[in-house]
Amino acid sequence: MAQPKNKRRRKRRGTQGGRIDTAGRRARPRNRAEARNRARASGSKSTSKKRDLPPTWKGSAYRGFFAAVIFVVILILLFKRPVPVSLIFGAFMLVFYIPTGYYIDMTMWRKRERQRIRDREGTP
C-alpha cells in the first residue's frame, strides 16, 4: 500500500502570539493517584460550595410550592377531595411550609457553620 506524502501532524495549540498553555491541561491523568486526586478535588468543590451558602427565602419558597402542589395532588387523587377544598388546603400548607422550611434550613446551616469553625480552630 502506498504511503501518504505528508506526515500526520498534531493539532497546533496556542495563540497567534506563540503562547502555549500546557500547565494542567492534560486530558487524561498520568496515573491512578492523579485520577483520584482530580476526582476528589472536583467533587468536593461542587457539593461543599452549595452547602456552605446560607438558606434563602427563594429556595424555601420553591420547596414549599413544590410540597404544596404534591399535597394538593395527593388530596385530589388519593383522598378524592373536591378541587376547591384541596386548593384551600394547599394554600394553607404553602403558607406553613415556606417559613418552616426556611427556619429548619437556617438551624441546620448554623449547626454546620459552628462545626466548621470548631474544626478550623481545632477545639473539640
Side-chain angles (χ1 to χ4, degrees), residues 7-79:
K7 284 186 166 183
R8 291 186 184 191
R9 294 182 186 174
R10 288 183 153 190
K11 286 189 176 181
R12 294 188 181 105
R13 283 178 292 159
T15 63
Q16 289 179 343
R19 184 172 181 204
I20 299 174
D21 290 332
T22 57
R25 296 202 62 128
R26 275 182 252 110
R28 301 177 87 196
R30 291 183 181 177
N31 53 30
R32 191 72 193 139
E34 187 178 339
R36 283 191 194 118
N37 289 339
R38 278 193 198 179
R40 282 191 194 117
S42 65
S44 65
K45 285 179 188 173
S46 62
T47 56
S48 65
K49 281 183 185 176
K50 177 109 173 132
R51 288 187 67 188
D52 288 348
L53 298 175
T56 61
W57 283 101
K58 184 178 179 182
S60 298
Y62 282 137
R63 274 197 315 275
F65 181 75
F66 184 70
V69 167
I70 290 175
F71 185 76
V72 168
V73 169
I74 288 174
L75 281 177
I76 292 171
L77 296 179
L78 292 180
F79 295 109

